[in-house]
Amino acid sequence: MTILAYTENSIPGTVSERLQLAARENLALEVANEGNFPIELYRDYQIVSVIAYMMHDFHPIHSDRTIRDQAFPHVRETIEIAALLNVPRIVTVCGFGYELADRPFERCFDFFSSLAPIAKAAGVKITIEPLSPLRVGVMTDPEEIARLIDTLNEPSVFSIILDTGHLVDSGIELNSFFANWKRPVEEIQLKGPRSSPPSPTMPVREWLEALPQLPAAISPEHRQATTVEDLVHLVGVLRNQLVGLID
């Protein structure tokens, strides 16, 4: 079964209002480690994943080595937070932006390889998300991320997470993509183009049924604001679409 969640910082309102809404709608959460993460605040909530959010700034393919070097402790901390909250996975990326180092694939391989024993010891899976060319200059093709995961050769540790908004912003037609994607997907983030909220008309059930296995979680995630009413409507539509497939 798949868990329906919502990315906490995409829910409208204050932190308290977000958590109250999540509890009222019986939603699990995807939460972001932006530094100084308030672990106690989330102990009573079901969390599907913790986002290594500071990888917006610190990542293994940045051109500045001092910035690259800050990525490892941030992701290690995110793994530790997930372990403390009994969260099964974290969300990472290869990088953001266009000030990038050479040999991005090799740098990503070295970076994630160094994290594998930490994640394995903690019992936390590392998911890697392909972004769109609107967000980063390299490593945007889902097949390239899949190749990285294959090369890492630690299937108990690494898996792919897909974001529908990034796929659309990459020029990918979603129905065809999901019909032809034959690899396991750990989680799907639902988003519209350019970080807009996902449309309630998305044929999410068709996408899931085309995959070789159900993802562990589905999480609407967007930067553009939505209203409480629209969020509740979207969640209701998703639940109706996914009867029998989600917890």
Side-chain angles (χ1 to χ4, degrees):
M1 299 287 282
T2 299
I3 297 171
L4 179 61
Y6 214 105
T7 303
E8 187 259 336
N9 60 15
S10 297
I11 299 173
T14 64
V15 172
S16 176
E17 290 168 339
R18 294 170 182 173
L19 296 180
Q20 289 175 23
L21 179 59
R24 189 175 77 227
E25 295 299 319
N26 193 28
L27 283 169
L29 292 171
E30 182 178 77
V31 299
N33 175 25
E34 301 181 50
N36 299 313
F37 185 83
I39 289 176
E40 294 303 321
L41 190 63
Y42 296 99
R43 284 203 183 275
D44 295 332
Y45 293 87
Q46 182 179 17
I47 299 173
V48 297
S49 52
V50 182
I51 303 169
Y53 196 82
M54 293 179 73
M55 292 189 85
H56 284 78
D57 300 311
F58 313 135
H59 55 78
I61 57 173
H62 199 284
S63 59
D64 186 329
R65 180 176 178 177
T66 61
I67 294 176
R68 289 199 304 271
D69 288 348
Q70 295 177 73
F72 181 89
H74 173 62
V75 178
R76 180 182 59 201
E77 177 189 67
T78 306
I79 293 169
E80 292 166 353
I81 291 168
L84 287 170
L85 290 173
N86 295 314
V87 177
R89 66 193 62 83
I90 69 167
V91 179
T92 69
V93 296
C94 287
F96 277 88
Y98 304 93
E99 297 179 15
L100 304 173
D102 61 350
R103 300 182 297 107
F105 187 95
E106 291 77 9
R107 289 181 185 274
C108 289
F109 175 82
D110 291 344
F111 176 77
F112 286 110
S113 291
S114 67
L115 289 161
I118 297 169
K120 188 177 292 186
V124 173
K125 184 167 282 190
I126 298 174
T127 68
I128 307 175
E129 177 185 356
L131 303 180
S132 84
L134 300 182
R135 306 303 300 278
V136 65
V138 297
M139 303 293 290
T140 59
D141 187 336
E143 289 288 355
E144 191 166 24
I145 300 300
R147 183 168 71 89
L148 172 62
I149 291 168
D150 286 346
T151 307
L152 287 162
N153 196 29
E154 291 275 11
S156 67
V157 176
F158 297 105
S159 58
I160 194 166
I161 177 172
L162 295 174
D163 181 306
T164 59
H166 289 306
L167 295 176
V168 169
D169 289 341
S170 297
I172 293 172
E173 200 281 318
L174 295 178
N175 293 342
S176 174
F177 175 84
F178 282 108
N180 292 286
W181 183 265
K182 302 306 180 187
R183 295 173 175 270
V185 177
E186 184 76 16
E187 181 180 339
I188 296 176
Q189 294 176 331
L190 296 178
K191 185 190 296 174
R194 295 181 178 269
S195 296
S196 61
S199 168
T201 64
M202 285 179 165
V204 179
R205 187 183 189 97
E206 292 178 22
W207 298 342
L208 296 193
E209 290 180 334
L211 294 173
Q213 63 189 55
L214 291 175
I218 297 176
S219 304
E221 187 267 345
H222 47 86
R223 288 175 172 269
Q224 294 181 25
T226 190
T227 65
V228 171
E229 293 75 17
D230 285 345
L231 183 153
V232 170
H233 175 65
L234 172 65
V235 169
V237 169
L238 289 172
R239 284 206 166 101
N240 286 335
Q241 269 205 64
L242 302 176
V243 170
L245 300 183
I246 61 171
D247 284 339

